[in-house]
Amino acid sequence: MTQPAPDTPATTPLRCITGAAIASSLGTALYFLTCNIANTFAAKPLPTVNATAMNLAVAVRTLVVGVATLGTAVFAIAAVGLLALAVQLQFTRQQQP
């Protein structure tokens, strides 16, 4: 037996813009965090002469900066998508009688 789905609130341009504002603020915060992480890694040289340890340290630094950049990009793309959805909803509401 299937149960009826609970009523979901309607998607409105205001809700999309609010979501975009939240996503863009998180994306901006992650951008500044990514810049600080990259600058910290660039300012501190690797203290070892062992080639294997050096390669491993470079790989870890690259992964940390890459994950932070990925988070920034995800929130930025979500913000742009929500803004585009708000514009689309506004135009479709104006066209309906």
Side-chain angles (χ1 to χ4, degrees), residues 32-76:
F32 288 124
L33 179 67
T34 302
C35 288
N36 285 336
I37 290 171
N39 288 335
T40 302
F41 284 159
K44 295 180 182 177
L46 297 173
T48 183
V49 294
N50 187 355
T52 304
M54 186 93 69
N55 288 338
L56 187 60
V58 168
V60 168
R61 286 181 174 199
T62 303
L63 284 173
V64 169
V65 173
V67 166
T69 304
L70 180 65
T72 302
V74 165
F75 281 107

